[in-house]
Amino acid sequence: MLLRVPATSANLGPGFDSLGLALELYNYFSLKPSKFSSIQIHGEGSKNPKLRIDNVFVRIFNEQLKKLIGKTLPFKFTFENSIPISRGLGSSSAVIIGAISAAFKVAQIPLDRQKILDIALRYESHPDNITPACVGGFNACMLSCNQVRFIKKNLPSTIEAIVVIPNQSISTHLSRKTLPQKYSQKDAIFNLSHSTLLASAFFEEKWDLLREASMDRFHQFFRMKQIPILFEVQKTALNNGALMSTLSGSGSTFFNLCFKEDTQNLKKALNDKFPRLKVLPLKFDNFGVVFDDEFKF
């Protein structure tokens, strides 16, 4: 069995813990029946021995499989990881969604994406990464009674993403501690209005509104201060064709969206200005988690 799960970019500026989208950058998870369990990791995380000793995918998979069929089974696990770890591109959400989906498949239970999302909340309490990882596309989402409520929008091929990935990671848990404990009514209204307009702009494909609608007062400034070069990344992107430029999740990756015809020019501008940072053009994923017999190319 082989499945893939896409990278994700969440928050998208003012949509703190409520907006996210999926990107064509994948982690692949292979499971083959075996006499004993083993783990092989290629790509991101392959040099981290801890991921073989206590692998989150294997742990969650075994937990869910035991709940579904009453026991665990030995597998040869092979991971091909392309999503950078702790860079704000949803690597942990990809693992969580992948593990739960794999358990459903092994248990021969139909892949109910709503159930998978609700189970995923036990491991990830915010829906903005797990939702696009599960269903793909752009998502506006919220939590209600321990369930994820979401509306999905498939993204057209006329727009693309360019992510800028620093070498430095930012811990989501630690970065939240840098945020203010209280916000003014003015700032709360600012973010509420901007996130509402941002979601509407995505659903209506009014891309000209993204630049202003993606402005934020809740978290970006405080997180970007940890890696000051990100302010220059954002400025450079917006001056060279980006329709919006926002911190991806808690960072350190920066997410930029542009028209397809502007991708190469924006990539060149970012590469020229930041030769030590990884600049990666990506298309959007509209499928979320899929298995080998469902791959769309």
Side-chain angles (χ1 to χ4, degrees), residues 50-65:
K50 293 181 180 179
L51 296 183
R52 291 187 182 88
I53 297 171
D54 181 23
N55 187 275
V56 176
F57 181 99
V58 175
R59 175 162 49 83
I60 294 174
F61 170 79
N62 284 333
E63 287 175 4
Q64 294 305 315
L65 187 62

Side-chain angles (χ1 to χ4, degrees), residues 269-284:
L270 290 168
N271 269 325
D272 290 347
K273 183 76 172 180
F274 309 102
R276 295 185 179 180
L277 305 185
K278 185 175 182 180
V279 179
L280 187 61
L282 296 169
K283 296 179 181 179
F284 294 103

Side-chain angles (χ1 to χ4, degrees), residues 25-287:
L25 180 67
Y26 301 103
N27 279 1
Y28 290 84
F29 307 97
S30 172
L31 288 75
K32 294 182 179 180
S34 177
K35 292 183 179 179
F36 56 89
S37 291
S38 64
I39 298 172
Q40 289 186 353
I41 301 174
H42 305 285
E44 296 289 333
S46 61
K47 297 180 180 180
N48 186 347
K50 293 181 180 179
L51 296 183
R52 291 187 182 88
I53 297 171
D54 181 23
N55 187 275
V56 176
F57 181 99
V58 175
R59 175 162 49 83
I60 294 174
F61 170 79
N62 284 333
E63 287 175 4
Q64 294 305 315
L65 187 62
K66 189 170 185 179
K67 288 181 180 179
L68 293 171
I69 66 172
K71 61 180 180 180
T72 61
L73 298 170
F75 286 91
K76 177 183 178 182
F77 297 91
T78 304
F79 305 132
E80 297 280 352
N81 298 332
S82 295
I83 305 174
I85 298 172
S86 298
R87 294 295 195 280
L89 286 169
S91 61
S92 61
S93 291
V95 167
I96 293 167
I97 293 298
I100 299 169
S101 300
F104 271 59
K105 193 77 168 180
V106 170
Q108 298 183 351
I109 296 174
L111 196 66
D112 186 323
R113 294 174 190 266
Q114 182 65 62
K115 286 184 179 179
I116 290 170
L117 274 177
D118 295 340
I119 294 171
L121 287 175
R122 303 172 192 174
Y123 305 99
E124 170 55 67
S125 59
H126 307 113
D128 50 343
N129 279 119
I130 57 173
T131 305
C134 188
V135 304
F138 168 84
N139 292 267
C141 44
M142 58 172 272
L143 300 182
S144 177
C145 301
N146 296 318
Q147 290 186 311
V148 179
R149 303 298 188 205
F150 68 94
I151 300 177
K152 173 190 170 183
K153 161 73 175 179
N154 282 343
L155 296 174
S157 60
T158 53
I159 55 171
E160 294 183 349
I162 295 183
V163 295
V164 180
I165 309 173
N167 292 324
Q168 183 178 344
S169 64
I170 293 180
S171 164
T172 301
H173 175 70
L174 294 178
S175 72
R176 282 183 179 266
K177 293 183 178 181
T178 69
L179 305 183
Q181 295 298 308
K182 296 181 179 179
Y183 296 95
S184 68
Q185 183 185 67
K186 183 178 180 180
D187 286 346
I189 293 172
F190 180 96
N191 262 54
L192 178 62
S193 60
H194 281 68
S195 62
T196 302
L197 185 63
L198 182 65
S200 300
F202 269 97
F203 282 110
E204 294 293 326
E205 298 189 11
K206 294 187 176 180
W207 312 123
D208 60 307
L209 295 177
L210 293 182
R211 182 181 183 125
E212 186 171 11
S214 60
M215 296 174 66
D216 162 78
R217 292 184 182 177
F218 270 14
H219 70 104
Q220 285 196 148
F221 173 78
F222 307 101
R223 286 168 160 166
M224 289 165 65
K225 283 199 303 182
Q226 300 176 64
I227 307 178
I229 197 174
L230 295 179
F231 291 101
E232 194 62 30
V233 169
Q234 185 181 48
K235 180 180 178 180
T236 301
L238 291 173
N239 286 341
N240 287 276
L243 295 166
M244 64 180 288
S245 181
T246 60
L247 192 64
S248 185
S250 62
S252 58
T253 295
F254 230 79
F255 167 81
N256 307 286
L257 184 149
C258 64
F259 288 119
K260 183 177 180 179
E261 58 265 28
D262 295 328
T263 299
Q264 292 306 313
N265 287 337
L266 179 54
K267 177 186 176 184
K268 184 178 185 304
L270 290 168
N271 269 325
D272 290 347
K273 183 76 172 180
F274 309 102
R276 295 185 179 180
L277 305 185
K278 185 175 182 180
V279 179
L280 187 61
L282 296 169
K283 296 179 181 179
F284 294 103
D285 173 280
N286 287 319
F287 302 100

